[in-house]
Amino acid sequence: MRNKYLSLLPGLLVLLLFPMGPTAQNSKACALRCPPNSSCVNGTACRCTPGFISSSGEIFTDPLESCDDINECGPPSPVYCGSSADCQNTEGGYHCTCSPGYEPVSGATIFRNESENTCRDVDECSSGWHQCHNSTVCVNTVGSYRCHCRQGWEPKPGFQDKQRNTICKEISFPTWTAPSGIKSQGLSHFYKRIQDLGRNFSSASVLNTVQDLVQEMGDLLETPGDLKTLPFSEQHFVVTNLPFGLENVLRGVSKALPKGSFTFNSSAGIELSLEVQAPSYRNITLIQKQTKMMLTWDTVHDSGDSGLAVVGLLSTSGMDRFLAEAPLVLDAEELTTLYETHRGLLQENSHILLSDVISAFITNKDTENLRSPVTFVFQHSVTPGPREKVHCVYWEHGQNGSGHWDTRGCWVTSTRDNSTTCQCSHLSIFAVLMAHYSVQEEDPTLTVITYVGLSLSLLCLLLAALTFLLCKAIQNTSTSLHLQLSLCLFLAHLLFLTAIDRTENKVLCAIIAGALHYLYLASFTWMLLVGLHLFLSARNLMVVNYSTINRFMKKAMFPVGYGVPAVIVAISAASRPHLYGTPTSCWLHSEKGFKWGFLGPVCAIFSVNLAFFLMTLWILKSKLCSLNSEVSTLQNTRMLTFKATAQLFILGCTWFLGILQVGPAARVMAYLFTIINSLQGVFIFLVYCLLSQQVREQYRKWLKRIRKTKAESENYTLSSRTMSDVCKHSEET
């Protein structure tokens, strides 16, 4: 019975707790009042609903906290809607919509993530949703559109092309007025025809207008009428106005041309080539019968304009009759190069135009200093002679408008028998001009002095080298230095005498020039070592340290004497090998300061040697003054003075006379330079051989030995003849 009631106890307990469980739980959970956008967790905590958060996090206990909206689209955003779509934040959530200029393909305007993105570009132009002015053409872009001026139209003042608010007007014919102060019926008729073309101009007839302009220019140049009777100054003034004016008009009206290549010809032989294209990275080449022009895109295009660009090349075959007599002005650098590479050059006698006169123009009007040079290839039938020089020239109109041919900013890159290639850093009116120069024959006296002096030096250097090698009594560090100097000078003078004018083969001439460059630099380097050794030896009189000097010179002289010149020549040959050899001699070209690869080291060496020489004299003077006066006789003083003076020639200090060959004294300095420096080998043999007592004694020994050998040879010959005669006599008996 008791067990029976115990089995009903769990059920009774459930019935008792069931009606009061929820009531007790709610009263415990709602004890804390939670803010909006949140719910109770228990009696002491609240939780923000999804899409909201408090400053303490998702769950908080402070009754003053608030739940604020989470900006799912703000940085750093965990939401990515995909390309061409934007994230839009909402209260407690977010959604994605297509960006302006795009529309969803599926038709659903909002979505939640990238996988649901179906946005595509809206073509505002074809759909009619654009706001372009009727003077422009709508061009769709990704996500937007732009308004372009129609072909043959340009933006009105105050507006820019390719904007949404662009307003355009039709291109007008540029103003081209006749030069003032010129009275010519032919010229007046020409400008009247130009004005008629301007009044009738329309963008639709631009091709006909350009052809008419070319034809009118050709007719004027073919039959100039009274233009040829004008003074040369007025002719130059007119001709300056014609191509520059036509260039300005063509630059203006060609904006109405469609994209492509165009060629226009006149019956008089004028040829116009136009290239109209959109921005690109390829180079542009315009080819005509006698001329070719090559330039890069960044040279053509104005960085502030992204529209079509125009490149023009105008060849005017009849222009040479007006400009042939115009003066030629060479820039300073080309003039210097011309006088150095053409020996004996006096002045320009005359010049002729080898090519047609051309005019080059581009859309960009700022052509004074181009980012990249423009290349021109001119064809011509005349081959330049030995006294003729080809120049790439442009027409400089000058302040008064009369004008002259100029070479500034233009240079010849190559020339052949029938073509010349030019490069210019600006655009203008160009031509290839050949100037004929009168040449002064070389001074025969200087030539004789050079050949006689160098021949005598060769003989003396050979004798000096043999002496330094064979005379054991004088062999030391000083002798080794003089031996190397003698060998280098001997080879350099020998190559100079035999091969300086071998310009027929350019490769061989370049090799000869390089060899001369090295041998003369090596000679000067050994002169520097001789000067250094002379100074150290003199200093040794004051401070006894001779063994250290000897060890230093023996270790350093060969690497320095032959290594330093090799490095200089190697750098010069690697940087500009084409500048070895000139049209008249196998020597260094003066272009771009290339000669300073020789003149720089030479000037430095003779300056240092002059300093060594003066310091040595000062040391010797101080030392000699401290000695007994009886030691130094008059004869010894004269000998020391002569030897000291001769050192100036041996150390190469007299090469400074070459720098003084300017002005009225140039001729005198040329004679002094030639005489003194051609006899450098004679001074070496005289000072170090003939004036050396040890060498003279060795010469006497050699002479005695030679005489003894000769006498023995004669005695032997005499005895041989005697024996022969005795034998013959005995046979006869």
Side-chain angles (χ1 to χ4, degrees), residues 36 162 186 402:
K162 302 178 182 179
S402 58

Side-chain angles (χ1 to χ4, degrees), residues 351-636:
H351 57 259
I352 60 172
L353 290 174
L354 296 185
S355 68
D356 289 340
V357 178
I358 68 165
S359 176
F361 61 92
I362 58 179
T363 304
N364 187 0
K365 293 183 179 181
D366 184 15
T367 60
E368 290 296 321
N369 190 13
L370 300 175
R371 282 171 277 187
S372 302
V374 180
T375 302
F376 299 95
V377 180
F378 295 92
Q379 302 294 327
H380 49 77
S381 58
V382 180
T383 302
R387 295 184 180 180
E388 294 169 332
K389 171 70 174 175
V390 173
H391 299 284
C392 295
V393 296
Y394 76 98
W395 184 254
E396 176 61 59
H397 50 75
Q399 295 181 351
N400 58 358
S402 58
H404 61 268
W405 291 115
D406 206 325
T407 60
R408 287 174 298 175
C410 292
W411 56 93
V412 177
T413 59
S414 65
T415 182
R416 300 178 181 176
D417 292 342
N418 59 353
S419 68
T420 298
T421 303
C422 306
Q423 283 192 331
C424 295
S425 61
H426 56 83
L427 291 184
S428 180
I429 300 169
F430 302 101
V432 169
L433 181 147
M434 184 179 71
H436 181 81
Y437 294 90
S438 59
V439 179
Q440 182 184 28
E441 297 298 330
E442 294 183 357
D443 190 339
T445 307
L446 278 177
T447 304
V448 171
I449 292 173
T450 300
Y451 278 87
V452 172
L454 289 181
S455 301
L456 189 58
S457 279
L458 285 174
L459 176 61
C460 291
L461 288 168
L462 180 61
L463 293 175
L466 292 174
T467 301
F468 297 143
L469 280 172
L470 301 176
C471 187
K472 296 182 179 180
I474 62 170
Q475 287 181 354
N476 52 32
T477 304
S478 178
T479 307
S480 299
L481 292 170
H482 296 136
L483 172 61
Q484 302 306 320
L485 173 59
S486 301
L487 291 175
C488 289
L489 276 177
F490 178 83
L491 294 175
H493 290 342
L494 181 64
L495 188 61
F496 180 88
L497 284 176
T498 57
I500 189 66
D501 294 324
R502 301 293 177 88
T503 58
E504 301 85 6
N505 189 317
K506 291 185 177 180
V507 176
L508 178 62
C509 184
I511 294 173
I512 293 170
L516 284 173
H517 188 195
Y518 175 76
L519 289 173
Y520 276 114
L521 276 183
S523 300
F524 272 94
T525 307
W526 285 108
M527 290 178 207
L528 176 64
L529 292 172
V530 169
L532 175 62
H533 185 264
L534 181 68
F535 168 71
L536 294 177
S537 300
R539 185 172 172 271
N540 183 56
L541 296 174
M542 311 297 290
V543 180
V544 179
N545 197 17
Y546 190 72
S547 60
T548 305
I549 296 171
N550 257 346
R551 286 197 301 270
F552 170 74
M553 293 303 297
K554 285 181 180 179
K555 290 181 179 179
M557 63 181 184
F558 283 102
V560 173
Y562 290 112
V564 172
V567 171
I568 296 174
V569 174
I571 293 173
S572 300
S575 60
R576 295 189 180 99
H578 61 285
L579 295 183
Y580 276 102
T582 70
T584 57
S585 64
C586 298
W587 186 232
L588 309 186
H589 207 288
S590 60
E591 183 181 339
K592 298 179 181 178
F594 189 65
K595 272 190 175 180
W596 283 101
F598 174 75
L599 294 178
V602 167
C603 291
I605 288 172
F606 74 63
S607 300
V608 173
N609 271 353
L610 183 60
F612 283 154
F613 175 76
L614 295 176
M615 288 189 291
T616 303
L617 281 185
W618 179 261
I619 293 172
L620 291 177
K621 177 179 177 296
S622 303
K623 188 65 178 176
L624 289 174
C625 289
S626 66
L627 297 176
N628 193 330
S629 60
E630 294 179 358
V631 175
S632 179
T633 63
L634 180 62
Q635 184 179 2
N636 289 336

Side-chain angles (χ1 to χ4, degrees), residues 98-113:
C98 292
S99 301
Y102 295 86
E103 62 182 0
V105 176
S106 63
T109 57
I110 62 174
F111 48 92
R112 295 285 297 177
N113 51 53

Side-chain angles (χ1 to χ4, degrees), residues 211 214-216 218-219 222 264-271 317:
Q211 179 61 50
V214 172
Q215 186 62 45
E216 291 296 333
D219 293 344
E222 187 177 25
F264 305 90
N265 296 279
S266 75
S267 56
I270 290 184
E271 186 176 2
S317 58

Side-chain angles (χ1 to χ4, degrees), residues 151-344:
Q151 181 181 325
W153 292 61
E154 60 184 358
K156 280 188 174 183
F159 292 90
Q160 291 184 345
D161 196 12
K162 302 178 182 179
Q163 304 295 322
R164 291 192 177 188
N165 62 342
T166 300
I167 299 178
C168 305
K169 64 174 183 177
E170 191 171 9
I171 289 175
S172 59
F173 193 87
T175 303
W176 190 7
T177 57
S180 59
I182 304 297
K183 297 180 179 179
S184 168
Q185 291 184 354
L187 194 64
S188 299
H189 176 71
F190 170 78
Y191 281 104
K192 183 178 180 300
R193 289 285 301 127
I194 296 299
Q195 291 174 1
D196 292 341
L197 289 175
R199 280 192 294 268
N200 299 326
F201 173 74
S202 66
S203 58
S205 62
V206 61
L207 292 174
N208 294 331
T209 302
V210 173
Q211 179 61 50
D212 292 341
L213 285 169
V214 172
Q215 186 62 45
E216 291 296 333
M217 176 69 84
D219 293 344
L220 177 64
L221 296 178
E222 187 177 25
T223 55
D226 55 357
L227 277 180
K228 289 296 294 181
T229 63
L230 296 175
F232 281 124
S233 60
E234 293 188 2
Q235 288 186 31
H236 296 164
F237 185 50
V238 170
V239 172
T240 297
N241 181 270
L242 285 176
F244 282 111
L246 180 59
E247 174 185 316
N248 183 54
V249 171
L250 289 174
R251 184 186 287 111
V253 301
S254 59
K255 294 178 182 178
L257 291 171
K259 184 163 57 174
S261 301
F262 305 92
T263 301
F264 305 90
N265 296 279
S266 75
S267 56
I270 290 184
E271 186 176 2
L272 171 65
S273 300
L274 293 175
E275 181 79 17
V276 184
Q277 62 172 268
S280 65
Y281 295 99
R282 69 181 183 89
N283 294 338
I284 300 173
T285 301
L286 296 181
I287 301 176
Q288 297 182 347
K289 293 180 181 178
Q290 301 295 323
T291 313
K292 180 165 69 172
M293 179 174 71
M294 295 167 286
L295 67 167
T296 58
W297 174 257
D298 61 346
T299 303
V300 175
H301 200 253
D302 188 355
S303 58
D305 183 18
S306 57
L308 296 178
V310 179
V311 184
L313 179 63
L314 175 68
S315 296
T316 51
S317 58
M319 193 75 75
D320 56 340
R321 71 181 71 179
F322 297 98
L323 301 179
E325 301 297 327
L328 169 65
V329 177
L330 301 179
D331 67 341
E333 183 178 352
E334 184 165 359
L335 194 61
T336 302
T337 303
L338 184 65
Y339 275 82
E340 288 183 356
T341 55
H342 293 73
R343 292 179 294 180

